[in-house]
Amino acid sequence: MSNPLLSDLHPLQLTDLPRFKQAVIAGQQRGWNFYFPYLLFVRLGSQSTRYLWEERDGSLCVFRHQYARKNRLDLVFPPFPYQESALLGALERGNDFNQTDNSRIYFIDEQDMPQLRQLNLFRLTKRNPQYLFSPQALSSLAGSRFQNLRRKISLASRRMEIDIQPYGPEYAAQCRQLLNDWERQKEKQSDSVFFQRRYALNAFHFAPQLDNRDLNGFVYLVNQQVRALTFGGEIRPNVGCLLLSIADPNNADLGYFIRQHFISTMQDYEIVNDGSDGGDHGLREMKQRFRPTGFHIAYTGKQVTRLASRATSSLSNNTGKSETRGLSPDTNEARHPVTRYSQARYELRPSTMVPGQVGLFALVDFVVDEIVAPYAYFDETRLITWAEFETLDEATRYKLIQYCYKDRKGLHAPKDINSLGICYFINHSCDPNLYCNKKGDYIAQRNVKAGEELTADLEKNMKKTYTQFSCCCGSPNCRGIIHI
């Protein structure tokens, strides 16, 4: 690497796995693309792109270096665990290398989105949602919701005698032949087919070198011939990954059998990320039959705002002359670089749930499991003890009871009850479209369309209740009296 901006970066290699996983655990990532073998395999053998990394401010920064048709350096992820200083430093490296201010981040986990939105540096675009499955649920297949899946798996078992074996080098030749047959029968040679072939060939090579927890594989033999294969492993404790699932296209039900088998073997994990469907209708139909417990939402980011450090540097280097981007040092734009204004996502309107009150309404669509209103949107709070609460006037007490979280110590109230953040206007419903996680983020419980009032079950997270009100949500499941 002759460029000095690359000289201190490390090529990603197998020995980096322990440090990489340590950072993933610290950042609590669960995206499919954080599975280390995926990162290792996806660029091995490429003649145009490689992955490089550095440690900055205690976080890992992984870069994608394109060096064939064009020479670019972009971030694969935001630094993890997330550190704003590390992100800004990595972006500055990319901007300096690219000699432009349009760096990209290819995969952004949903938990990092609130911090990135606040920076106003990126245009953020959703990727296809990634399917999350419960190994325990798919092991038992209990209940009517798995009826169709049970039938598919049963058909595969009845039509052929399937011998399941752990992958070993003795099966490599047959696996390559299956891979060739599978590739030939695909109707179109998409990027997905190309990369799955690359994942498979690298999995055959690296499986003997890795612990089963990091890369585990199975082959499925019919009449002593390999007719399907699966590979996957651990993203981090409690989160597994299904990297690869390839079956003989002539045996449609076999694909259901092997996916259910592999996920069921991952009983040590709370969830298994099976990646997205890539827009493939057939794959989407299959994965939906496995009844995902949720979806992981990832984004891509394109830089649309110049970093303040580069704006200052550029201006100083021009010593009073107009800079290369046409900004005069005396203009307001040069002194204060323009940031991309945040997208309007909600607005207040008369509530459809509570007559005479206002509610929060979506201006954009939200997909299931997307963070709709992060905890950061709550105003800074102060504790009002129950003793202090009794000294307040009746109107203020009413507002505090109505809007604030309560515990045995008192009420956690905004510093100014007359200046409430948007989260305080999320009304109750017994059939809500949001739920509140342990961090205090409001998450989409289902797909939410623009124009819907945003609601949550306000009673659900209450360990102890202090008052009650009559619910007017009109849901068939309405409980009537709600205790908060």
Side-chain angles (χ1 to χ4, degrees):
M1 296 183 227
S2 58
N3 192 309
L5 288 168
L6 302 179
S7 61
D8 59 339
L9 297 180
H10 314 285
L12 190 69
Q13 51 193 3
L14 186 62
T15 53
D16 297 323
L17 189 153
R19 178 66 188 96
F20 185 91
K21 187 175 282 189
Q22 182 184 20
V24 169
I25 292 171
Q28 290 295 288
Q29 264 67 39
R30 63 175 187 170
W32 187 86
N33 307 89
F34 281 90
Y35 179 49
F36 183 83
Y38 156 77
L39 277 180
L40 186 66
F41 299 167
V42 71
R43 295 300 162 192
L44 277 178
S46 171
Q47 300 301 311
S48 62
T49 309
R50 58 188 163 192
Y51 281 174
L52 310 169
W53 68 275
E54 68 169 339
E55 189 161 357
R56 184 186 287 265
D57 297 338
S59 299
L60 286 194
C61 303
V62 181
F63 295 90
R64 183 179 190 259
H65 178 216
Q66 296 173 267
Y67 54 88
R69 295 181 183 177
K70 52 186 176 181
N71 200 21
R72 276 192 65 91
L73 189 70
D74 295 294
L75 278 168
V76 180
F77 314 109
F80 55 100
Y82 179 81
Q83 294 283 349
E84 183 176 315
S85 60
L87 174 62
L88 296 178
L91 284 175
E92 188 165 14
R93 182 195 287 269
N95 287 176
D96 289 344
F97 182 89
N98 301 330
Q99 297 184 338
T100 185
D101 302 311
N102 66 349
S103 289
R104 294 178 176 86
I105 306 178
Y106 283 92
F107 303 103
I108 303 171
D109 257 12
E110 56 190 337
Q111 67 262 32
D112 295 329
M113 286 297 293
Q115 296 94 320
L116 266 69
R117 281 198 176 103
Q118 288 177 358
L119 289 176
N120 286 325
L121 287 174
F122 303 97
R123 180 171 66 245
L124 300 164
T125 306
K126 286 180 188 174
R127 289 182 166 272
N128 290 324
Q130 298 169 10
Y131 291 75
L132 303 177
F133 295 112
S134 164
Q136 293 74 29
L138 289 180
S139 177
S140 68
L141 293 180
S144 59
R145 64 192 180 122
F146 290 116
Q147 182 177 349
N148 290 334
L149 183 57
R150 287 197 300 269
R151 182 166 61 248
K152 289 278 187 185
I153 294 169
S154 175
L155 283 172
S157 300
R158 291 204 304 266
R159 288 173 179 171
M160 62 196 92
E161 185 175 337
I162 304 170
D163 180 19
I164 305 171
Q165 295 293 331
Y167 174 80
E170 66 272 21
Y171 296 111
Q174 284 195 47
C175 285
R176 288 191 181 91
Q177 184 59 52
L178 169 67
L179 193 59
N180 292 336
D181 295 343
W182 170 82
E183 192 174 12
R184 278 196 299 269
Q185 293 191 44
K186 285 293 181 181
E187 292 181 1
K188 59 179 182 178
Q189 298 300 304
S190 64
D191 285 347
S192 174
V193 172
F194 171 81
F195 281 112
Q196 286 188 73
R197 178 179 180 83
R198 180 176 287 178
Y199 304 155
L201 291 174
N202 281 299
F204 303 157
H205 175 74
F206 283 99
Q209 305 175 50
L210 286 167
D211 185 88
N212 280 348
R213 181 168 288 275
D214 296 312
L215 182 63
N216 192 26
F218 292 94
V219 293
Y220 304 82
L221 292 89
V222 177
N223 297 326
Q224 299 183 332
Q225 295 294 312
V226 174
R227 303 318 304 156
L229 57 91
T230 53
F231 280 94
E234 180 178 277
I235 297 175
R236 62 172 172 84
N238 285 332
V239 183
C241 174
L242 174 54
L243 173 69
L244 185 66
S245 172
I246 291 177
D248 180 354
N250 295 319
N251 295 320
D253 297 329
L254 186 57
Y256 288 90
F257 180 93
I258 65 173
R259 180 171 257 103
Q260 187 267 344
H261 167 261
F262 187 90
I263 296 175
S264 297
T265 64
M266 305 190 81
Q267 293 296 308
D268 291 342
Y269 302 94
E270 184 179 339
I271 58 169
V272 173
N273 191 325
D274 191 14
S276 74
D277 54 43
D280 183 302
H281 177 74
L283 187 56
R284 180 183 305 123
E285 181 180 346
M286 172 184 279
K287 290 189 177 185
Q288 287 175 347
R289 284 184 173 172
F290 279 75
R291 298 297 183 254
T293 59
F295 294 89
H296 176 76
I297 308 301
Y299 295 76
T300 184
K302 182 177 181 181
Q303 185 183 353
V304 293
T305 304
R306 166 172 286 194
L307 296 173
S309 59
R310 283 175 58 79
T312 302
S313 172
S314 178
L315 289 173
S316 63
N317 290 339
N318 279 285
T319 61
K321 299 177 182 179
S322 295
E323 63 162 320
T324 55
R325 294 190 173 266
L327 295 177
S328 165
D330 296 325
T331 64
N332 185 58
E333 188 175 2
R335 290 193 302 272
H336 306 287
V338 176
T339 60
R340 184 177 178 85
Y341 198 69
S342 56
Q343 181 187 18
R345 291 155 55 85
Y346 339 87
E347 71 175 2
L348 297 177
R349 301 180 194 168
S351 174
T352 58
M353 298 288 168
V354 188
Q357 299 290 337
V358 296
L360 191 66
F361 287 76
L363 291 178
V364 297
D365 294 345
F366 296 98
V367 299
V368 62
D369 280 346
E370 180 178 358
I371 298 177
V372 175
Y375 179 73
Y377 283 11
F378 275 98
D379 303 319
E380 187 178 353
T381 62
R382 57 155 290 194
L383 175 67
I384 297 177
T385 65
W386 289 112
E388 182 184 359
F389 174 78
E390 293 300 329
T391 68
L392 301 175
D393 64 274
E394 183 178 352
T396 303
R397 291 202 305 268
Y398 173 78
K399 297 292 281 188
L400 290 171
I401 286 290
Q402 188 176 27
Y403 286 109
C404 301
Y405 176 76
K406 309 157 203 65
D407 61 23
R408 60 183 181 81
K409 295 180 181 179
L411 300 96
H412 297 264
K415 285 197 167 183
D416 185 352
I417 192 65
N418 297 304
S419 179
L420 296 175
I422 55 98
C423 290
Y424 289 98
F425 294 94
I426 296 174
N427 286 318
H428 170 83
S429 172
C430 298
D431 186 18
N433 48 30
L434 307 181
Y435 71 92
C436 189
N437 67 11
K438 293 180 180 179
K439 296 179 181 179
D441 304 321
Y442 278 103
I443 312 293
Q445 189 162 293
R446 56 172 174 78
N447 291 338
V448 180
K449 294 292 186 182
E452 286 190 59
E453 181 171 359
L454 299 172
T455 58
D457 188 335
L458 301 183
E459 186 181 54
K460 190 170 185 179
N461 291 333
M462 297 301 298
K463 295 179 181 178
K464 187 176 180 181
T465 60
Y466 299 90
T467 187
Q468 64 185 40
F469 64 87
S470 297
C471 180
C472 308
C473 70
S475 161
N477 302 320
C478 183
R479 301 192 296 274
I481 301 298
I482 304 302
H483 299 85
I484 59 173

